[in-house]
Amino acid sequence: MSITESDKDVRITTPADVCGMGHRMKRKEDPRFIQGAGHYVDDIKLPGMLYLDIVRSPHAHAKILNIDASAALALPGVLAVITGQDLKAAGNLHMMPTLMSDTQMVLPIEKVVYYAQEVCAVVATSRYIAADAVELVKVDYEPLPAVVDPFQALKDEVIVREDKEKKSNHVWHWETGNKDATDEVFSRSSKVVKQKMHIPRIHVSSIETCGMVADWDKINEHMTIYMTSQAPHAHRTVVSLVSGIPEHKIRVISPDIGGGFGGKVPVYPGYVCTIVASLVTGKPVKWIEDRSENLQADSFARDYHIDAELAADANGKITGLRVKTLADDGAADAAANPSKFPAGLYSIGTGSYDMEAAHFEVDAAYTTKPPGGVAYRCSFRVTEAVHMIERMTDIMAHDLGQDPAEFRMKNFIKKEQFPYHSPTGWDYDSGDYHRALRLAMDLIGYEDLRKEQAEKRQRGELMGIGISSFTEIVGAGPSKDFDILGIKMFDSCEIRIHPTGSAIVRIGVQTQGQGHETTFAQIVAEELGLPASAITVEHGDTDTAPYGLGTYASRSTPTAGAAAAVAARKIRDKARKIAAYLLEANEEDLEWDVNKFMVKGSPTRAKTIQEIAFAAYTNFPQGMEAGMEAVNYYDPPNLTFPFGSYICVVDIDKGTGEVKVRRFVAVDDCGNIINPLIVEGQIHGGLTMGLAPALFEEIVYDENGQNLSGTFMDYLLPTSMETPKWELGKTVTPSPHHPIGAKGVGESPTVGAPPAIANAVVDALWHLGVRHLEIPITPPKIWKILRDNGIDED
Amino acid sequence: MGRTVKLTVNGQEVSREVEPRLLLVHFIREDLNLTGTHIGCDTTSCGACTINMDGKAVKSCTIFAVQADGRSIETIEGMAQNGLHPLQEGFWEKHGLQCGYCTPGMIMCANAFLKENPQPTEEEIRWAISGNLCRCTGYVKIVEAIQYAANKIQAQAAQPSETKEVVA
């Protein structure tokens, strides 16, 4: 049996025909996708539908002198050209709020502040005519100096946001931890390592770009919006607040979504223009980004400039962490973080290590680049934090001449320390870090690899081994701390059992490939004993689903997954009453067994959930409400803290500088597992999205603020050739506070993988004096180091 | 300005008048309403638009509909005949898809490939799909799905049965 198929730690309590938690159930949603019957936004075709296309700025920073749309309007088939002035006249719609309570332009009036910024929108009868019309709009610009580097921006020589009262590019300052205690720890620690690092701008690049169909029904004054949305309810509320259309007159439908990864959380100018275009024309209007628009103008991720210091005592015990960071926000703070956390959950950066004190300071700067700060498959800046601490840990171990695995083992938070209160205030729910690392070492054969590396180094071959033992923080979040634009970050589930014993489950979160239609059915099957195959899961339609905050930050299982279990338990409580009535027994004399209530000590006297469901409509006690349904809005008591240990082996080609990932073992612990097949898929995909920024992906700008990575020919996604055959292992440490003990998994691998790879490359080159390499570690960076050291392929 | 194109699509003859500049992918999606073929990059990089034309895998976002005149094309909608095609079955069995957006292109790419190379190695499969990007799966399970299909097609070919014509 291969590593990936070992399910020995997975808890299964239901038979295969029920298919509750732990079963490798094939996905219920797949038949439509494998037969070309998925239904994505661009597949929607409504009668009389118009098409919207966008004129974009060729400058990163420029005054707009004039917009002449006459030639475009003269083109047959063109109905309208919408400018910033038009939006302003329509009720100040030219500006919109960001999720971080900043503002950003929908369409500009005075000036543009990033390359490819939306300048005006063209509406036409066909996609092709709209594209032709874009070429015919003549815009006169007066170029202004761009400011691309955030450190330069802080000098305030060029002000990006002249619309703001504060004439400065400094956006905010945020601190956490204990500064005095940290300084004191550093003053008495015998060993301190320092490193600057940049986590570069990257882009989620889901294979489906963003898009919308807005359909204004002027007779009923009702707006239907089909949208690539990871958070349809939140978007409905935002649309209502911004447009003034009452919320009950707006229906947002997020149909099948071709990948989200955080990029479909924000509201983009194109969406607002599409809604306005439908209002203006009274017709359905479609807008679909092309790939270059997606890469050039949609929210980026990362772009943190980090300056970190790690302290240890003479025995190599970590004592403290001090971090200063500059966040490049681009032209607006349009990050998708909970309101109270301008730098997200970055303060998870003390990681898996027990230390006395830590202090984090983050500042943010405006630059003339697109706004953003979305997740790229990561829970609110956790990737930046984990890269920092895992690189620092490795540098410290190497500097002390200690094996990085041994060094980690010595510094891990111990199993018996959980729940663990971290120096930055988090309460880690559960963990067993030693076990996960030991398993990863056993699976990869760590000790033998170190011997092989020593032999190869003798022969002048470059091989490296890298470890990353990360702690994630997901499942936002508890209402006392977590909200987006004031809306608390609960999530929801509504269950209705039909008389014949099948069910519909509606959830406030929204799948973009995670497999909710399967896993939520399995959660309800686990709780009620109804077969998962008899449970329909519906999501993404604000008219039918209960209100929820959507799917991102690995929050679906921790929040809505919990809501599903709690709602199912409410139904079970009612089922007990009906069963007692049917069996003429006392409620307290009944016990639950997989899918039925039976009288204690007399198992033949039992009623199945199907029999009870039928009775809920046909034969229920006098005075009881008919039917069988429940809803729960779940407010988690804490976040969840998945963890894992990854080990990567790389070989470096001395001729080209290319890094080849030879092996990669990932041991993940996401608590109890709902579906091992889906968890494996999530980990494979997440690891690949960790490999990507480590070795390939970066959005690059020239000094004029021009995006040099605007197509898939310049922005390199890993293909099947670069992606290794991932080897997985798992431990199971349930979350003590989650109703089904689950923690969430989608993002752990994206968070954990980049430092494992970077650490492996640095490990291969450490003897040449290399302490750190900035990601993406591309062949030219290594090639130069090798040549500087007189190393070539011979 | 229109040009008439006549072609065979999933075994059916079709004839339409099109603008010469109309891309084949838009012709398939919008004129024929076969929306299983997707668009991901517009530059022949991602392969979401892959179809089979005269048995070869072709990225339909960078050829014109008029270039398909007289040809025979097959899209994802034509794959399931008497039940699922072994590739469709393999993707389902092996969890070779998540969001499903790249899946039709992957399946069509693999379909043309397995006809050329019915017993591929893992490395050959990886090379064959290297022009198709997937952002969700990390490819490992896609490779397994294609291996599954190759084995199933081989097994069906080895023992003549009524199901054989499904993959013929």
Side-chain angles (χ1 to χ4, degrees):
Chain A
M1 183 179 278
S2 75
I3 298 167
T4 55
E5 285 164 356
S6 167
D7 288 343
K8 69 178 169 54
D9 290 332
V10 177
R11 181 175 160 270
I12 298 181
T13 65
T14 55
D17 59 341
V18 171
C19 217
M21 281 180 57
H23 286 282
R24 293 181 161 266
M25 186 185 190
K26 284 199 299 181
R27 297 203 320 172
K28 289 157 65 83
E29 44 269 84
D30 284 359
R32 66 177 186 271
F33 293 128
I34 56 179
Q35 296 182 81
H39 196 54
Y40 302 89
V41 172
D42 198 15
D43 300 340
I44 290 159
K45 205 175 185 181
L46 300 176
M49 190 168 74
L50 304 173
Y51 294 82
L52 183 133
D53 206 341
I54 292 173
V55 177
R56 292 178 183 273
S57 169
H59 303 286
H61 196 194
K63 268 188 198 158
I64 295 175
L65 302 177
N66 186 45
I67 299 174
D68 177 4
S70 55
L73 286 164
L75 186 70
V78 174
L79 279 87
V81 176
I82 300 167
T83 65
Q85 291 289 4
D86 298 331
L87 294 182
K88 189 175 185 190
N92 286 325
L93 291 177
H94 63 300
M95 297 296 289
M96 65 176 177
T98 71
L99 295 177
M100 299 310 294
S101 301
D102 196 355
T103 54
Q104 79 175 91
M105 288 183 237
V106 176
L107 293 175
I109 291 173
E110 307 278 328
K111 68 170 189 174
V112 289
V113 286
Y114 56 91
Y115 172 75
Q117 184 178 338
E118 299 79 356
V119 174
C120 58
V122 172
V123 187
T125 51
S126 89
R127 215 185 272 266
Y128 284 63
I129 295 171
D132 288 342
V134 163
E135 298 299 318
L136 294 174
V137 175
K138 193 169 172 298
V139 185
D140 294 331
Y141 298 96
E142 181 187 318
L144 299 167
V147 54
V148 176
D149 174 56
F151 294 96
Q152 184 68 27
L154 287 181
K155 294 178 184 165
D156 286 337
E157 288 160 358
V158 173
I159 299 297
V160 179
R161 295 293 299 265
E162 284 158 323
D163 58 316
K164 298 236 159 196
E165 212 169 290
K166 180 177 150 193
K167 304 292 176 214
S168 167
N169 294 324
H170 183 262
V171 192
W172 45 259
H173 172 86
W174 179 78
E175 291 186 30
T176 189
N178 187 328
K179 185 174 191 309
D180 293 341
T182 306
D183 290 346
E184 190 274 323
V185 162
F186 269 78
S187 69
R188 63 174 157 79
S189 294
S190 58
K191 179 72 185 171
V192 173
V193 293
K194 301 181 184 191
Q195 184 61 51
K196 285 189 190 342
M197 57 188 90
H198 179 217
I199 313 296
R201 218 171 234 249
I202 52 176
H203 197 283
V204 302
S205 303
S206 50
I207 306 296
E208 178 200 37
T209 59
C210 294
M212 175 185 276
V213 175
D215 184 15
W216 176 242
D217 171 351
K218 59 184 168 191
I219 293 171
N220 293 303
E221 297 184 323
H222 183 278
M223 179 69 85
T224 305
I225 292 168
Y226 306 87
M227 177 180 180
T228 48
S229 169
Q230 291 181 234
H233 282 101
H235 286 150
R236 183 186 69 189
T237 302
V238 170
V239 170
S240 178
L241 291 172
V242 171
S243 69
I245 303 169
E247 200 165 353
H248 70 292
K249 293 280 193 180
I250 302 170
R251 178 182 185 189
V252 177
I253 299 171
S254 183
D256 287 328
I257 299 296
F261 314 117
K264 291 167 181 170
V265 174
V267 174
Y268 295 119
Y271 293 138
V272 180
C273 291
T274 308
I275 292 168
V276 170
S278 184
L279 282 166
V280 168
T281 60
K283 295 266 174 65
V285 178
K286 178 186 276 190
W287 166 65
I288 304 289
E289 279 177 337
D290 68 29
R291 176 57 56 189
S292 290
E293 293 177 296
N294 175 262
L295 283 169
Q296 290 170 346
D298 281 6
S299 283
F300 67 92
R302 320 276 195 261
D303 221 347
Y304 264 29
H305 297 261
I306 301 170
D307 199 344
E309 296 173 273
L310 187 68
D313 67 18
N315 300 319
K317 174 80 187 66
I318 295 172
T319 51
L321 175 69
R322 197 157 53 192
V323 184
K324 289 189 178 173
T325 295
L326 180 60
D328 184 343
D329 272 357
D333 181 8
N337 291 323
S339 306
K340 295 194 183 83
F341 300 89
L345 309 181
Y346 187 53
S347 61
I348 192 66
T350 55
S352 306
Y353 310 103
D354 187 21
M355 62 184 79
E356 293 171 50
H359 185 242
F360 286 71
E361 279 181 75
V362 187
D363 291 88
Y366 289 132
T367 57
T368 53
K369 290 188 283 192
V374 298
Y376 188 103
R377 199 171 184 154
C378 135
S379 172
F380 312 125
R381 304 295 187 181
V382 179
T383 313
E384 291 89 328
V386 168
H387 199 79
M388 177 274 299
I389 186 66
E390 287 304 302
R391 283 292 305 122
M392 296 308 288
T393 304
D394 243 50
I395 293 170
M396 178 67 90
H398 274 107
D399 255 13
L400 293 169
Q402 296 184 9
D403 181 275
E406 242 172 71
F407 181 77
R408 282 178 170 80
M409 289 287 195
K410 181 161 57 185
N411 281 289
F412 278 151
I413 300 160
K414 295 182 184 69
K415 187 180 169 185
E416 54 274 18
Q417 286 177 275
F418 290 91
Y420 174 80
H421 187 74
S422 86
T424 51
W426 301 112
D427 289 300
Y428 295 13
D429 56 351
S430 63
D432 188 348
Y433 301 158
H434 293 85
R435 182 171 170 231
L437 178 54
R438 189 61 250 175
L439 178 59
M441 292 168 74
D442 292 345
L443 291 175
I444 207 159
Y446 184 78
E447 284 78 7
D448 288 343
L449 284 168
R450 282 289 175 205
K451 282 182 206 145
E452 181 193 338
Q453 183 189 31
E455 286 162 16
K456 286 200 163 151
R457 196 165 284 175
Q458 289 288 323
R459 297 202 297 271
E461 290 176 42
L462 298 173
M463 165 189 167
I465 306 159
I467 301 175
S468 163
S469 294
F470 64 90
T471 293
E472 254 269 61
I473 173 170
V474 305
S479 63
K480 72 180 166 59
D481 292 324
F482 288 88
D483 68 88
I484 286 186
L485 291 175
I487 303 168
K488 303 293 189 183
M489 295 185 76
F490 58 85
D491 226 295
S492 60
C493 177
E494 178 200 273
I495 303 172
R496 288 185 191 172
I497 314 291
H498 308 316
T500 53
S502 58
I504 184 160
V505 172
R506 293 184 167 123
I507 50 180
V509 292
Q510 201 283 342
T511 182
Q512 310 113 38
Q514 294 89 339
H516 290 174
E517 290 168 40
T518 307
T519 50
F520 279 79
Q522 287 184 267
I523 294 171
V524 175
E526 174 80 13
E527 296 294 332
L528 291 179
L530 293 172
S533 59
I535 300 169
T536 297
V537 177
E538 204 182 82
H539 55 87
D541 182 340
T542 57
D543 264 12
T544 57
Y547 203 102
L549 271 282
T551 292
Y552 41 86
S554 289
R555 67 185 298 278
S556 291
T557 298
T559 59
V566 172
R569 287 171 195 178
K570 285 189 191 177
I571 286 177
R572 210 161 69 190
D573 288 345
K574 182 170 184 180
R576 177 188 288 271
K577 291 186 187 351
I578 297 172
Y581 169 75
L582 296 174
L583 292 164
E584 297 178 352
N586 287 322
E587 280 180 48
E588 51 275 23
D589 291 337
L590 299 182
E591 62 185 358
W592 176 255
D593 177 42
V594 181
N595 64 348
K596 58 181 179 290
F597 274 111
M598 53 191 190
V599 179
K600 284 176 198 163
S602 105
T604 52
R605 287 184 65 204
K607 289 287 173 190
T608 65
I609 187 72
Q610 288 86 352
E611 290 170 314
I612 298 167
F614 193 66
Y617 296 88
T618 60
N619 178 24
F620 45 89
Q622 278 293 314
M624 179 184 271
E625 255 185 273
M628 216 175 202
E629 59 182 77
V631 62
N632 179 253
Y633 288 79
Y634 187 78
D635 183 2
N638 189 8
L639 298 153
T640 59
F641 297 78
F643 61 93
S645 270
Y646 295 170
I647 306 182
C648 172
V649 183
V650 300
D651 297 301
I652 292 173
D653 184 317
K654 288 189 287 180
T656 63
E658 189 189 357
V659 173
K660 180 85 184 162
V661 177
R662 189 205 310 172
R663 288 188 66 195
F664 195 110
V665 164
V667 173
D668 270 280
D669 192 320
C670 58
N672 283 335
I673 287 174
I674 302 164
N675 181 328
L677 189 66
I678 286 178
V679 167
E680 283 165 18
Q682 288 291 305
I683 295 171
H684 284 171
L687 291 170
T688 309
M689 287 186 85
L691 171 76
L695 296 182
F696 308 110
E697 293 178 12
E698 182 176 9
I699 296 283
V700 180
Y701 293 85
D702 72 8
E703 68 278 12
N704 298 316
Q706 297 276 328
N707 182 319
L708 305 179
S709 321
T711 72
F712 278 163
M713 290 174 283
D714 307 296
Y715 187 76
L716 301 181
L717 271 56
T719 75
S720 52
M721 296 307 287
E722 293 83 39
T723 306
K725 189 167 183 175
W726 306 111
E727 300 170 65
L728 311 188
K730 56 170 126 12
T731 60
V732 176
T733 310
S735 169
H737 66 75
H738 188 277
I740 56 173
K743 289 188 171 185
V745 73
E747 296 163 340
S748 291
T750 314
V751 164
I757 297 165
N759 285 345
V761 178
V762 173
D763 184 61
L765 302 171
W766 185 270
H767 63 293
L768 302 177
V770 176
R771 291 172 64 82
H772 179 71
L773 285 164
E774 297 287 25
I775 55 171
I777 304 172
T778 53
K781 289 182 187 173
I782 295 182
W783 189 90
K784 185 169 185 312
I785 291 166
L786 298 180
R787 294 305 175 276
D788 288 350
N789 280 276
I791 295 171
D792 58 33
E793 49 200 316
D794 306 320
Chain B
M1 72 172 202
R3 285 262 309 265
T4 302
V5 291
K6 283 186 188 175
L7 63 162
T8 307
V9 180
N10 299 329
Q12 304 274 314
E13 301 268 321
V14 299
S15 175
R16 291 279 196 290
E17 194 171 310
V18 298
E19 259 193 273
R21 65 172 177 170
L22 181 70
L23 293 170
L24 181 58
V25 70
H26 287 141
F27 176 74
I28 292 169
R29 288 178 49 79
E30 298 186 7
D31 291 44
L32 304 181
N33 289 320
L34 296 171
T35 54
T37 302
H38 299 145
I39 302 170
C41 73
D42 324 287
T43 54
T44 335
S45 303
C46 81
C49 63
T50 306
I51 57 153
N52 291 171
M53 187 152 82
D54 293 340
K56 289 204 167 357
V58 164
K59 293 182 179 176
S60 62
C61 77
T62 19
I63 47 174
F64 296 112
V66 292
Q67 291 173 285
D69 191 29
R71 313 278 199 128
S72 174
I73 68 172
E74 195 177 0
T75 69
I76 187 69
E77 289 88 349
M79 287 293 280
Q81 297 291 330
N82 302 313
L84 293 178
H85 185 280
L87 274 163
Q88 293 171 313
E89 212 180 286
F91 272 72
W92 193 9
E93 285 289 333
K94 297 292 176 184
H95 190 28
L97 65 147
Q98 290 179 28
C99 79
Y101 200 77
C102 77
T103 310
M106 280 287 179
I107 288 177
M108 297 318 292
C109 174
N111 188 46
F113 167 66
L114 288 184
K115 284 176 182 158
E116 276 173 29
N117 184 350
Q119 286 178 292
T121 62
E122 182 194 328
E123 196 57 24
E124 287 168 340
I125 295 172
R126 283 179 175 265
W127 176 247
I129 60 167
S130 62
N132 288 63
L133 296 174
C134 171
R135 200 56 159 162
C136 298
T137 65
Y139 305 105
V140 175
K141 289 182 183 291
I142 291 179
V143 172
E144 287 174 13
I146 296 169
Q147 275 164 337
Y148 173 100
N151 293 339
K152 176 133 193 193
I153 293 167
Q154 285 293 301
Q156 284 174 346
Q159 52 171 226
S161 74
E162 65 208 45
T163 55
K164 191 178 168 183
E165 68 196 42
V166 176
V167 295

